[in-house]
Amino acid sequence: MKRIHPMSFGAECLAAGVRFRLWAPVATSVSVSLEKPDPLVLPMRRLEDGWFDLVTDHASPGTRYRFQIDGGLQVPDPASRFQPQDVHGPSEVIDPSAFDWQDAAWRGRPWEEAVIYELHVGTFTPEGTFAALEQRLDYFVQLGVTAIELMPLSDFPGTRNWGYDGVLPFAPDSSYGTPSDLKKLIQTAHTKGLMIFLDVVYNHFGPEGNYLRAYSPQFFTERHHTPWGDAINFDGPGSQFARQFFVQNAIYWLMEYNFDGLRFDAVHAIADDSNPDILTELASMVRGAMPADKHVHLILENDDNAAHYLCRKGGRKLYDAQWNDDIHHALHVAVTGETDGYYSDYADDPVRRVARCLTEGFDYQGETSRFRDGARRGEPSAHLPPLCFVSFLQNHDQVGNRAFGERILRLAEPCAVQAAIAVLLLAPSPPLLFMGEEFAADTPFLFFCDFGAELAAAVREGRRNEFSRFRRFRDPALRAQIPDPGAQEAFLASKLRWETLSRPEHQEWRRFYQQLLELRQREIVPLLKKMDHNSACFNMLAVRAFEARWNLDGGELRLLANLSAEAAHYSGTIAARRFFSTHEKQANPAQLPPWSVAWFLAQ
């Protein structure tokens, strides 16, 4: 089976050769510079609206090329399918039809089955490649994971990066392998019943290797600004080209690579005053392009808690879910006691906020945020089903954005972490794990990158200065100890150490996760199949203990949780089967021991 996503830009293999197409509205002339034994420069034809075009039989799959702007600057193809020599090097012509897919019967998995495992390809295995990850796919099946989410792959500068500094969105980074290696990974995952999601970044380009401004400055706008500078132009003159570029990118990954879903990074940083905005248009276009019988999942990260993207529009779903930062922040405060930075918004009553997230989605649904100087944050979400909210206790941001990349077990007692995980993995909302958490990985996940010397120095100093607003890092000497993101040591220290799985304490943690995920698949997932609305409530039993209830298809799910170091009391009665408890041998069901969780089901 062949999977090809034809596009109106970039390099496309045709019967007559290769068609090259570039949008360069400020260029007077554009040529294609082919890297052959004898370099060849071929002028392109100027079309309307700033497009340049050429079809030539001098190029074929494997040919490396650049675009030459006005006879001078040579740039890679912004829609390059592969960059074998990094972001400043030539692009390579890729023929998607060369890969023969063997997973034609795969239609994905329904969203209610999602248990997501987020990982970074470069640090998940010692080799840090697609091929090495493919060899470990059975691990996820045994754990009980159903979906692997890859951190961004778009070609970034250097050999190590989180992926959020990508500048060529159509090219999987060559440090991980070839396009065929990635396709083989996805195909093998499907044979094992695993979905593969991809994290994509449409709110900015990285600071090194982006040449778009040189020949299509209309791709950006000064009307809006982001933390990374001028915003991408989604709503001004010429914005149709940027919109088309990213819509096609989303469809490309889903169609040509057969990814099962996309996670859209920090969409709150996308500035767009048009109607429909780019997020609405993109989701509508993607849904229209995908086969009706295939499960394709679209997930947002949106600090604005904009619940309207999760509602059905005209009977059709736009986005399946959003990462729920609120439940992470509230749980983090509850188990660690930290209240610095954005955690201050959850410090007053963290456990009540956890209960609200579990039963209503967002905690902030229009309330004022002290951390945001009194600004209102969020939209009502209590009407939405729990499936609309992805819950987690750790992810790349919440670990890696700490100064020393500490994981949760460096910050909280094991009993507290176990209680939090027992809540998240059995609640109706789809859970997300961050690589290594299931075996209590003792490696940090640090921020790392591989920029040129001048930019690397600026990133190092900028990152250290960011932490000066935290009480702990007001001392410049302590800030100087924060690891240098540009040092290779930060990358190497972040690689998982799989040998630790031979130790009993790490094996015990993995068994705990496996047990909970087995219970989730057996007890919870069958009740979620027809969940298209919310019918849940909670009541507080003490300051840090609560009861939550969900009316699901075929039964009532009930949770008793005490997220404190003090015992709590439950005065109600439960005529239901208890299918999990952190304290199985508890003698008195009316007493809730410290850091205890019990789940019940009445059918």
Side-chain angles (χ1 to χ4, degrees), residues 276-299:
D277 63 21
I278 183 60
L279 291 177
T280 302
E281 179 183 345
L282 187 150
S284 298
M285 295 291 287
V286 166
R287 298 296 184 193
M290 294 297 108
D293 64 339
K294 183 180 179 183
H295 296 287
V296 172
H297 306 301
L298 306 180
I299 307 157

Side-chain angles (χ1 to χ4, degrees), residues 11-13 61-63 81-82 92-96 179 183 256-257:
E12 294 290 315
C13 294
T63 298
R81 279 179 163 90
F82 191 46
E92 181 175 313
V93 175
I94 296 294
D95 180 8
K183 292 173 182 177
E256 196 160 296
Y257 280 84

Side-chain angles (χ1 to χ4, degrees), residues 334-335 351 415-416 418-420 423 540-547 559-570 582-583 586 590-598:
V335 302
V351 176
C415 59
Q418 284 192 333
V423 168
M540 301 302 295
L541 308 175
V543 174
R544 293 175 64 96
F546 65 92
E547 174 188 29
L559 165 66
L560 295 181
N562 179 15
L563 302 184
S564 77
E566 305 294 331
H569 182 75
Y570 179 68
T582 51
H583 294 68
Q586 179 184 347
Q591 292 295 320
L592 303 181
W595 299 110
S596 65
V597 171

Side-chain angles (χ1 to χ4, degrees), residues 224-474:
H224 305 294
H225 294 275
T226 74
W228 309 280
D230 288 348
I232 295 171
N233 178 21
F234 287 119
D235 61 0
S239 61
Q240 67 269 30
F241 300 106
R243 294 172 80 96
Q244 179 190 18
F245 185 81
F246 287 107
V247 168
Q248 290 302 309
N249 184 257
I251 298 174
Y252 162 83
W253 288 118
L254 294 168
M255 186 173 291
E256 196 160 296
Y257 280 84
N258 208 21
F259 275 103
D260 298 282
L262 302 174
R263 180 262 191 188
F264 298 88
D265 176 66
V267 299
H268 53 270
I270 294 176
D272 183 4
D273 295 331
S274 57
N275 186 18
D277 63 21
I278 183 60
L279 291 177
T280 302
E281 179 183 345
L282 187 150
S284 298
M285 295 291 287
V286 166
R287 298 296 184 193
M290 294 297 108
D293 64 339
K294 183 180 179 183
H295 296 287
V296 172
H297 306 301
L298 306 180
I299 307 157
L300 295 172
E301 182 201 14
N302 189 346
D303 188 63
D304 290 339
N305 284 3
H308 68 275
Y309 289 116
L310 306 175
C311 299
R312 291 184 177 272
K313 303 289 185 181
R316 188 165 69 168
K317 173 174 58 179
L318 291 181
Y319 292 90
D320 294 83
Q322 178 179 313
W323 277 24
N324 193 352
D325 282 340
D326 281 355
I327 197 167
H328 167 271
H329 297 347
L331 267 175
H332 186 93
V333 173
V335 302
T336 69
E338 289 188 339
T339 58
D340 248 356
Y342 47 68
Y343 293 128
S344 62
D345 271 350
Y346 306 82
D348 57 346
D349 204 350
V351 176
R352 177 182 289 274
R353 294 177 182 276
V354 170
R356 189 183 194 202
C357 290
L358 288 169
T359 56
E360 297 184 16
F362 299 134
D363 178 36
Y364 279 84
Q365 301 181 34
E367 291 82 1
T368 57
S369 161
R370 287 174 295 176
F371 176 70
R372 294 166 177 79
D373 298 322
R376 293 192 176 275
R377 174 173 175 250
E379 298 172 351
S381 64
H383 61 290
L384 294 170
L387 290 172
C388 288
F389 306 93
V390 176
S391 300
F392 45 87
L393 187 59
Q394 301 183 74
N395 64 29
H396 74 273
D397 272 331
Q398 307 306 337
V399 177
N401 282 337
R402 299 184 66 85
F404 297 102
E406 307 102 317
R407 294 171 177 268
I408 193 70
L409 282 168
R410 293 291 181 94
L411 310 169
E413 293 297 323
C415 59
V417 174
Q418 284 192 333
I421 291 302
V423 168
L424 290 186
L425 295 193
L426 295 177
S429 293
L432 176 140
L433 313 180
F434 182 59
M435 63 177 201
E437 76 163 84
E438 75 284 359
F439 63 86
D442 54 12
T443 48
F445 187 70
L446 298 166
F447 179 61
F448 51 81
C449 53
D450 187 18
F451 296 134
E454 184 175 345
L455 181 55
V459 169
R460 179 181 63 246
E461 294 311 310
R463 180 165 174 80
R464 289 174 176 172
N465 289 337
E466 281 180 12
F467 287 97
S468 62
R469 46 199 180 107
F470 292 89
R471 290 189 298 270
R472 179 184 173 192
F473 293 103
R474 286 174 183 166

Side-chain angles (χ1 to χ4, degrees), residues 511-523:
R511 280 193 293 269
F512 178 64
Y513 276 76
Q514 285 176 315
Q515 175 197 8
L516 289 170
L517 293 179
E518 287 172 3
L519 284 171
R520 179 180 186 84
Q521 187 64 32
R522 184 174 73 242
E523 304 282 358

